[in-house]
Amino acid sequence: MPPQRLAKPVESTPFFDVGPEGFLMLPPAGGRLHYAPGAGLALANPPDRPEGDLLPFAWSSGFAAAAWFDGRVPLRANAVRLTDGNLILIASDRDDLQEGMAVALSETFGLAVSDAPVVIDPEDASRVCTNGRPITQRRTRKDADAPPVREGARRLQLDCPTIDGLAVHPCVAMISLGDGRGPEADLKDLPLMASVAEIRKHIFMPLVGTAIWGEDTISAAHMVLANTLPILRYGLPPGAMPSAELASDLMAQLDARFRERETR
């Protein structure tokens, strides 16, 4: 059973403790989630909630905590597997853009996807693991279908082909989505310092990582990842939302970019 609180936390908030004993999460709806290095994950469901109520936290926060303790970096990004087997990561400041583009790529091209977060090897940024979960989307409408776990949940599972969460996958780039400046979508490489800022922005549970690794190591990981993982900015037309048309445009621009790199 998970402990009530950790005895010697390095970082403690009303919602989690992290320290030598592992990571303890206290979700607002009740219950506890504890990850201990070498022992794995333990869940205590709140007594008045349905069975499985804490599983979404296990697939996200528990997965990320295990990564931090294993020397890996969790990123708040969705993954998409291209037809050649390589992954691209889709990230954004907005969940609706990030998840919507991954869904559009899956529905338009039949590509396998995974939910956020993903885990990346800071010493070899081409190596990525996913949590093996089907992608989810935020519940943005009151008339949306009921979530599968608990009433009023903000997320809905979508039935898309899912990337194997038990394998290490080759990764070729991270795509950062955002508003562009013109009427047409455009794809461009980010310079190093902008890439560092983008990595820092999409680190998942940074307080937990800093408590485990220390600030200096975290900063070094930002720089290493920005140097070794190509980060591209895909600027969308103002107000545009992910669609089959934009998914096709992104794939075409990526294909052209990868072919250009091969000829250099």
Side-chain angles (χ1 to χ4, degrees), residues 11-87:
E11 181 76 42
S12 183
T13 77
F15 303 108
F16 71 83
D17 292 343
V18 60
E21 303 161 86
F23 169 77
L24 176 69
M25 184 176 187
L26 307 165
R32 302 186 307 283
L33 178 154
H34 181 222
Y35 175 79
L41 195 67
L43 301 176
N45 276 308
D48 58 341
R49 307 299 294 182
E51 189 68 25
D53 191 63
L54 293 185
L55 287 180
F57 296 104
W59 297 327
S60 54
S61 298
F63 176 66
W68 282 122
F69 277 104
D70 194 43
R72 316 300 177 191
V73 177
L75 295 174
R76 187 179 58 81
N78 292 102
V80 178
R81 187 176 64 205
L82 304 175
T83 54
D84 62 3
N86 288 310
L87 302 190

Side-chain angles (χ1 to χ4, degrees), residues 11-203:
E11 181 76 42
S12 183
T13 77
F15 303 108
F16 71 83
D17 292 343
V18 60
E21 303 161 86
F23 169 77
L24 176 69
M25 184 176 187
L26 307 165
R32 302 186 307 283
L33 178 154
H34 181 222
Y35 175 79
L41 195 67
L43 301 176
N45 276 308
D48 58 341
R49 307 299 294 182
E51 189 68 25
D53 191 63
L54 293 185
L55 287 180
F57 296 104
W59 297 327
S60 54
S61 298
F63 176 66
W68 282 122
F69 277 104
D70 194 43
R72 316 300 177 191
V73 177
L75 295 174
R76 187 179 58 81
N78 292 102
V80 178
R81 187 176 64 205
L82 304 175
T83 54
D84 62 3
N86 288 310
L87 302 190
I88 57 170
L89 307 183
I90 305 292
S92 176
D93 297 341
R94 292 171 47 188
D95 293 318
D96 57 344
L97 291 184
Q98 174 178 313
E99 296 172 351
M101 181 58 79
V103 170
L105 288 167
S106 179
E107 292 179 342
T108 306
F109 298 101
L111 303 177
V113 296
S114 79
D115 204 356
V118 300
V119 166
I120 194 165
D121 183 345
E123 296 182 354
D124 182 357
S126 70
R127 292 164 51 85
V128 167
C129 287
T130 78
N131 59 13
R133 303 309 308 171
I135 199 171
T136 60
Q137 278 195 303
R138 306 294 168 178
R139 185 178 184 180
T140 56
R141 305 189 324 272
K142 292 182 180 179
D143 61 343
D145 295 336
V149 178
R150 61 183 184 274
E151 184 179 357
R154 293 188 303 125
R155 310 187 80 183
L156 288 172
Q157 292 284 353
L158 291 183
D159 186 18
C160 294
T162 308
I163 299 171
D164 181 3
L166 300 178
V168 177
H169 302 274
C171 178
V172 292
M174 184 169 84
I175 313 299
S176 172
L177 305 177
D179 292 333
R181 296 184 178 180
E184 302 294 331
D186 64 279
L187 185 70
K188 62 181 181 181
D189 293 274
L190 288 182
L192 177 60
M193 294 316 296
S195 294
V196 172
E198 203 67 29
I199 288 289
R200 183 181 292 112
K201 189 191 309 180
H202 298 297
I203 296 287

